[in-house]
Amino acid sequence: MPAVTRRDYTGPEDLRAMQSLAQRIWSRSSSVHVGDLAWQRFQHVGREAEWPTVLWEAGPEVVAWGWVSLPGGLALLVDPARPELASEVLGWFEDTATAAAELTVTVLDAEKHVIAALEQSGYALPESSVHQSYMSRLLEDLPVPVVTGGFTVRPVGADDLARRVAVHRAVWHPSRVTEPSYRNVMGAWPYRDRLDWVVEAPDGRFAAQCLIWLDDRNAVGELEPVGTLPEFRRLGLARAVCRAARGA
């Protein structure tokens, strides 16, 4: 078994290497999809100094990585075949974080090897821990997307950047997404414009949006992010745009 080495993140090529680990070990017990990494790294610009990131490699393969959001948050991915690396990532995190008090780590409850390392290092679930539902479905017998009242569902086009950013910023206010940062998203692997969909309102605004990231190797798509402008909610637009994008 090749020896493991550690190195700092140096740029987008290393993000692709981090995605290779996410893709190689993906299962329904995985907390990270390749789209998560592309979206989270590129949706903002100018934050690199806030995000110390380190990769652990065995030969040509990335076998673990840690991504700190200063002052004290950690996202990590560790190959289940290398469970001992979880403790190494946590040790690096504790040396890197600048938080004066509580450190937080994001982990899926199915990542038993990471949870074991966390417990061994003295971490515990907070009383008000954040819970999310992990939901999936097959792309069989998809209902036809339906919108009424003059709305149109379509993929983004070459001239849609400003409106695409505007709907995201309004839905996720306050948002740090900008036109330059969204261009970076659109240039990241595995972004595909045919999987970036919007609902256009009769007045020309984008009323809802859905971006799908496709992992071809595992035949798994992720919807990230999805949203509707407040004034257009409860009209079924998010449901329609997700159905349209999934059928693309």
Side-chain angles (χ1 to χ4, degrees), residues 24-145:
R24 180 167 59 81
I25 69 171
W26 191 90
S27 74
R28 292 189 181 184
S29 297
S30 300
S31 61
V32 179
H33 183 274
V34 292
D36 289 312
L37 287 164
W39 172 250
Q40 292 166 13
R41 199 81 191 190
F42 294 118
Q43 65 170 308
H44 300 154
V45 293
R47 300 191 62 185
E48 289 74 13
E50 303 172 32
W51 293 338
T53 304
V54 165
L55 289 69
W56 281 258
E57 296 172 319
E61 287 189 333
V62 174
V63 289
W65 52 258
W67 176 349
V68 174
S69 295
L70 295 175
L74 173 68
L76 76 165
L77 190 64
V78 178
D79 189 333
R82 297 274 191 163
E84 72 282 359
L85 294 179
S87 295
E88 288 196 31
V89 179
L90 292 175
W92 164 77
F93 168 49
E94 291 160 10
D95 290 338
T96 302
T98 58
E102 189 172 73
L103 303 179
T104 61
V105 181
T106 301
V107 63
L108 193 69
D109 56 4
E111 295 177 294
K112 303 301 184 185
H113 60 305
V114 178
I115 292 174
L118 285 164
E119 292 175 341
Q120 186 175 6
S121 297
Y123 291 80
L125 283 173
E127 292 182 4
S128 59
S129 59
V130 176
H131 297 279
Q132 296 180 330
S133 296
Y134 196 155
M135 305 176 70
S136 65
R137 64 153 295 164
L138 297 176
L139 297 182
E140 297 175 352
D141 302 320
L142 282 178
V144 176

